[in-house]
Amino acid sequence: MEFFDLMKRKIVILGSTGSIGKSLISVLKKDANSFEIVLLTANKNIKDLLKQITFFKVKNIIVTDYKKYLIIKKYFKNKKINIYNNFKSLEKILKNHKIDYTMSAISGLVGLKPTIKVIRYSKKIAIANKEAIICGWSLIKNELKKYKTDFIPVDSEHFSIWSLINNAKDQNIEKLFITASGGPFINYPLKNFQFITTKQALKHPNWSMGKKISIDSATMMNKVFEIIEAKKIFDLSYEKLKILVHPKSYVHAVVKFDNGLTKLLIHDTNMVIPIFNSLYPNHSKKINSKKLDFNIINNLNFKVIDIKRFPVVKMLKSLPSKDSLYETVIVTINDKLVNKFLRNEISFIEISKILLKVINFKEFKKYKLIKPRNVAQIEQLQDYVSLKIDSLSV
């Protein structure tokens, strides 16, 4: 038994009321006496946050929405609980702590700054924030190295890759496949794509997710992002990375090595599994899971991706080989277009069509040659691109 199992492990959850945060909470509840939650953060969902605070007796809270912050501050008026409204308070909260495990699960680029800030206080950080890795990986990597903080990717695909390669070097990996279910439109008639509604696009066949990531899954942009993440996290070339359609979402990654071996990783469509294994990496605990489904194994039904159905995948051929600000451009444009679709301002097929057109504007392509220097630079570019997209007549 490891030493940290003999005492309470200190935990921080950035984004505790989102799907990843709540999955982690469900794992912690089953072994609550082994953990002390030092900090929880949320934006607006104070209903779930209140339950978490009460159950774990949490003393430090950040609520970023000002109205919700005032409500929860009033609720705990006579309690010894520190409640803050922004991430500027991180240093004040954590300066006397060394956190054993931090989960970064804030959605969107707003999660980049607190992710970078919290690394110095953390022995291990699990990151589920796609945008932080895509846009700021070079900054995150510098902090990880500087403070000797261990990193685990928690997204099911990247956790699977991380588990499979076991520190294998780039030259040992011949090909790496990230699987995609194909979302709700894998078999949907192409002639009807122009009539797809938001309700249809939000109905993922295998996973229960938030609105933004559900739309990204429907366009396949989510897999484009995951390829970019894999390239950065595992320091691979885009030539070694490929998307493989697998409708059942049972296999999460396949790695072919240059010694003739090929490994694949299977687990249920449940984010609790990678989260549990990131928390207990040495098999010190067991988790109840379903029996192997041999019906699925006997019919994995792998397919190459249909570019006509998912045109956003074409952009993978023109991405820069080194970390750049261009990734921030792509993330920002996609965010804006997805929000426009959710507000019924553009059609489903226009998300991909406009995205592929706009990322090739000369004023945006120049960012392929510029490496991110700091978070402020990324945030400024995000604001600039947002304004540009808002000014477009789409």
Side-chain angles (χ1 to χ4, degrees):
M1 183 179 287
E2 293 186 16
F3 176 70
F4 60 63
D5 284 330
L6 301 175
M7 57 189 296
K8 285 195 174 186
R9 295 169 67 189
K10 293 184 177 182
I11 306 289
V12 164
I13 309 178
L14 305 179
S16 67
T17 60
S19 60
I20 297 293
K22 287 196 280 191
S23 293
L24 174 56
I25 288 288
S26 71
V27 173
L28 296 175
K29 278 186 175 181
K30 293 177 181 178
D31 192 19
N33 291 331
S34 297
F35 302 102
E36 175 195 350
I37 297 184
V38 176
L39 169 67
L40 293 175
T41 84
N43 180 28
K44 291 186 177 182
N45 187 356
I46 59 173
K47 182 179 178 181
D48 285 329
L49 183 64
L50 284 169
K51 293 176 184 176
Q52 295 169 358
I53 295 168
T54 304
F55 186 90
F56 288 99
K57 299 180 175 61
V58 186
K59 298 299 182 184
N60 297 293
I61 311 295
I62 295 175
V63 179
T64 52
D65 180 88
Y66 188 66
K67 289 182 179 179
K68 300 297 183 181
Y69 157 74
L70 292 177
I71 292 170
I72 204 164
K73 191 170 177 63
K74 185 177 180 181
Y75 184 89
F76 288 113
K77 185 177 180 181
N78 298 317
K79 301 283 181 71
K80 291 182 179 180
I81 297 177
N82 303 310
I83 301 167
Y84 306 93
N85 184 224
N86 56 60
F87 292 108
K88 292 177 182 178
S89 311
L90 273 175
E91 185 179 358
K92 182 179 180 180
I93 296 166
L94 301 178
K95 64 181 179 180
N96 296 321
H97 296 279
K98 189 62 177 178
I99 305 303
D100 294 292
Y101 178 100
T102 294
M103 170 64 80
S104 171
I106 299 170
S107 179
L109 254 176
V110 69
L112 175 58
K113 186 180 284 186
T115 297
I116 289 174
K117 277 189 173 185
V118 81
I119 287 172
R120 69 182 63 194
Y121 305 105
S122 307
K123 295 178 183 177
K124 177 189 291 183
I125 184 165
I127 302 180
N129 179 297
K130 290 181 184 297
E131 294 83 359
I133 292 173
I134 291 167
C135 302
W137 177 245
S138 58
L139 306 178
I140 291 171
K141 191 165 63 172
N142 288 341
E143 292 295 292
L144 293 171
K145 185 177 180 180
K146 182 177 179 180
Y147 294 102
K148 297 180 173 60
T149 302
D150 291 332
F151 160 72
I152 297 182
V154 179
D155 206 3
S156 61
E157 291 78 8
H158 302 96
F159 181 81
S160 297
I161 296 166
W162 182 82
S163 301
L164 289 171
I165 65 175
N166 193 26
N167 294 320
K169 295 181 180 179
D170 178 16
Q171 59 265 32
N172 301 136
I173 298 170
E174 189 173 305
K175 207 77 175 177
L176 194 155
F177 300 88
I178 288 178
T179 61
S181 71
F185 307 124
I186 186 61
N187 296 311
Y188 197 72
L190 278 170
K191 63 181 181 180
N192 294 333
F193 265 47
Q194 60 184 316
F195 306 116
I196 287 171
T197 65
T198 53
K199 185 178 180 181
Q200 288 175 301
L202 289 169
K203 196 173 182 180
H204 197 282
N206 301 336
W207 296 92
S208 176
M209 305 179 292
K211 288 184 178 182
K212 166 63 169 53
I213 192 171
S214 294
I215 303 303
D216 283 344
S217 294
T219 63
M220 201 60 77
M221 193 63 198
N222 193 47
K223 292 300 156 181
V224 171
F225 286 153
E226 287 176 5
I227 290 288
I228 298 171
E229 286 181 88
K231 184 241 184 273
K232 293 174 183 289
I233 293 169
F234 304 108
D235 195 21
L236 297 168
S237 65
Y238 282 119
E239 288 73 24
K240 291 190 176 186
L241 297 163
K242 193 164 185 174
I243 301 169
L244 198 59
V245 175
H246 169 49
K248 292 294 184 180
S249 298
Y250 202 45
V251 176
H252 297 275
V254 180
V255 182
K256 187 178 188 304
F257 296 91
D258 61 7
N259 62 1
L261 295 178
T262 298
K263 297 180 182 180
L264 55 82
L265 191 141
I266 292 170
H267 71 71
D268 303 334
T269 53
N270 186 344
M271 281 305 298
V272 165
I273 293 171
I275 290 168
F276 177 91
N277 281 279
S278 72
L279 193 63
Y280 301 107
N282 299 313
H283 306 286
S284 56
K285 298 284 182 179
K286 294 181 180 179
I287 186 173
N288 291 325
S289 59
K290 296 177 184 177
K291 291 182 179 179
L292 275 176
D293 192 329
F294 289 103
N295 289 325
I296 297 177
I297 292 172
N298 289 334
N299 186 25
L300 291 175
N301 197 21
F302 290 131
K303 298 176 183 176
V304 296
I305 198 159
D306 182 350
I307 299 296
K308 288 183 180 179
R309 189 173 293 274
F310 305 111
V312 293
V313 176
K314 291 188 290 188
M315 77 169 65
L316 288 171
K317 293 182 179 180
S318 59
L319 292 176
S321 59
K322 296 181 180 180
D323 287 348
S324 76
L325 287 171
Y326 190 62
E327 289 91 294
T328 299
V329 171
I330 293 171
V331 165
T332 306
I333 295 172
N334 181 69
D335 283 355
K336 298 293 288 186
L337 295 176
V338 168
N339 285 332
K340 284 178 180 289
F341 170 66
L342 289 171
R343 295 194 301 264
N344 296 310
E345 295 173 11
I346 61 174
S347 68
F348 180 79
I349 58 173
E350 284 181 306
I351 300 174
S352 302
K353 186 179 179 180
I354 297 169
L355 178 62
L356 289 172
K357 179 182 177 181
V358 175
I359 63 171
N360 283 308
F361 284 2
K362 188 176 180 180
E363 62 187 299
F364 293 146
K365 286 176 74 175
K366 68 182 182 182
Y367 290 103
K368 288 184 178 184
L369 302 174
I370 306 173
K371 184 177 179 178
R373 296 190 308 271
N374 51 54
V375 177
Q377 185 191 29
I378 291 171
E379 290 175 339
Q380 287 167 10
L381 179 58
Q382 183 188 28
D383 291 341
Y384 169 75
V385 175
S386 293
L387 289 172
K388 283 288 182 179
I389 301 305
D390 286 336
S391 68
L392 291 176
S393 55
V394 296

